[in-house]
Amino acid sequence: MRTLLHTISLTAFLFISSLVSAQTINNSADLEKFYKAYFNNIQSRDALVKIFCTDSLYQVWKKSETDEPFVRIYCNTYRGVSIRRIPKGNQYYVAFGFWHPFIGYFLPTASVEIYVDNNGKIFKAEPLGATISTSDLNGTKWISEAVYKTKSKQYKEFTQDKYIWHYEGGTHTFPYYLSKTIAGFFDDSKVGTGTKGYYLIMHKGGGSGKDYYDIIYFNKEAGVMIAKPRGGYENYYIMKDNETAVEFFKSREFPVN
């Protein structure tokens, strides 16, 4: 019996030690270790969260009836995780999604923002969603991850009332405004009036035709924006010519489940 107890104690010690040795999160690779263990060792989640997170966040997690705040509650189709470091701050953008079977790209379906304290422990994890104003967009220029990878000259530019798409052969210009709701028509009276919201609504086509983006994350100082087009997947943008924000495009993607 004493030998059995010793074996059990040693096994438990080695398990906890392996977690402790990786508990200090200071880069995307360390956060990947947390998520791999979180998804693949369900029985040990309590110990895992207690070690990798601050006590206050652990208590929140214990009281929750779902996997939040580490996994979005409605995200039940993910087969992979993508982690991106948000420039100028110990914050990480974690997206859950899957790899498209034909194009091989990782397609995010839900996301959460992770904050790490100076001791390397997760102290806050929350859903993303950004309310911005036209003054935040006015005068900014953005390149997408696809454009960055292909070194294309395309980019998006915003004025107070216009969304301008620059491409190889010219430009397309669309009036836009921001809103907290999506109406059934494009409201011309809101264009150029200093609107605020988390939906970027553009006039496209004839009549009152419109299209829109859901602004998921926006950090003008860091030069990072995440926007989801209607019926599409999350797109990642950095400010044009912002070398600091390029780090955001260096994601770590790995399978789970």
Side-chain angles (χ1 to χ4, degrees):
M1 175 64 75
R2 184 173 296 177
T3 302
L4 177 60
L5 290 174
H6 174 76
T7 303
I8 293 173
S9 299
L10 179 59
T11 301
F13 173 76
L14 291 174
F15 170 71
I16 296 298
S17 296
S18 67
L19 294 178
V20 171
S21 65
Q23 71 173 321
T24 302
I25 297 173
N26 54 28
N27 56 54
S28 297
D30 289 342
L31 193 60
E32 178 181 329
K33 294 176 185 177
F34 167 75
Y35 270 100
K36 277 186 174 178
Y38 186 81
F39 284 114
N40 298 323
N41 297 286
I42 296 176
Q43 297 86 348
S44 63
R45 279 187 179 175
D46 187 88
L48 182 75
V49 175
K50 194 169 187 178
I51 289 172
F52 275 83
C53 303
T54 59
D55 183 64
S56 59
L57 186 56
Y58 170 72
Q59 296 301 331
V60 171
W61 180 82
K62 283 284 288 184
K63 294 178 182 178
S64 174
E65 296 181 354
T66 71
D67 283 342
E68 288 187 300
F70 305 115
V71 182
R72 293 299 295 273
I73 185 171
Y74 56 81
C75 184
N76 57 9
T77 59
Y78 51 80
R79 290 294 179 268
V81 176
S82 172
I83 297 174
R84 297 169 186 266
R85 178 74 176 266
I86 296 176
K88 296 186 178 181
N90 205 11
Q91 303 172 34
Y92 299 87
Y93 168 75
V94 180
F96 313 101
F98 60 95
W99 279 272
H100 193 285
F102 300 112
I103 61 177
Y105 292 159
F106 179 78
L107 300 175
T109 58
S111 52
V112 67
E113 189 174 5
I114 298 292
Y115 295 77
V116 178
D117 67 12
N118 292 331
N119 296 317
K121 287 196 172 186
I122 301 171
F123 73 90
K124 184 167 66 170
E126 60 185 12
L128 289 99
T131 298
I132 63 174
S133 67
T134 50
S135 59
D136 292 321
L137 289 173
N138 188 23
T140 61
K141 300 176 182 179
W142 303 86
I143 61 172
S144 68
E145 183 172 35
V147 167
Y148 173 77
K149 288 181 176 179
T150 60
K151 302 187 184 302
S152 167
K153 295 182 179 179
Q154 294 186 51
Y155 66 93
K156 303 178 187 299
E157 179 181 6
F158 290 93
T159 66
Q160 188 72 8
D161 59 351
K162 292 182 178 61
Y163 159 78
I164 309 169
W165 173 35
H166 298 264
Y167 55 97
E168 302 287 346
T171 62
H172 277 308
T173 301
F174 310 98
Y176 82 96
Y177 59 88
L178 298 166
S179 176
K180 293 183 178 180
T181 59
I182 302 174
F185 62 94
F186 185 87
D187 191 345
D188 293 277
S189 66
K190 293 183 178 179
V191 176
T193 60
T195 51
K196 294 182 179 181
Y198 35 80
Y199 293 114
L200 192 158
I201 301 177
M202 301 174 294
H203 186 277
K204 298 187 75 173
S208 59
K210 66 174 181 4
D211 208 346
Y212 64 85
Y213 279 81
D214 184 351
I215 306 299
I216 296 172
Y217 180 85
F218 186 88
N219 188 323
K220 189 172 184 177
E221 180 184 4
V224 172
M225 177 171 64
I226 305 169
K228 183 177 181 179
R230 177 178 59 174
Y233 297 95
E234 297 173 3
N235 289 330
Y236 312 129
Y237 299 92
I238 62 172
M239 278 193 180
K240 192 174 183 292
D241 303 321
N242 188 331
E243 294 300 323
T244 304
V246 167
E247 181 184 0
F248 183 71
F249 284 161
K250 299 175 182 177
S251 64
R252 296 183 66 86
E253 298 170 354
F254 55 94
V256 297
N257 298 338

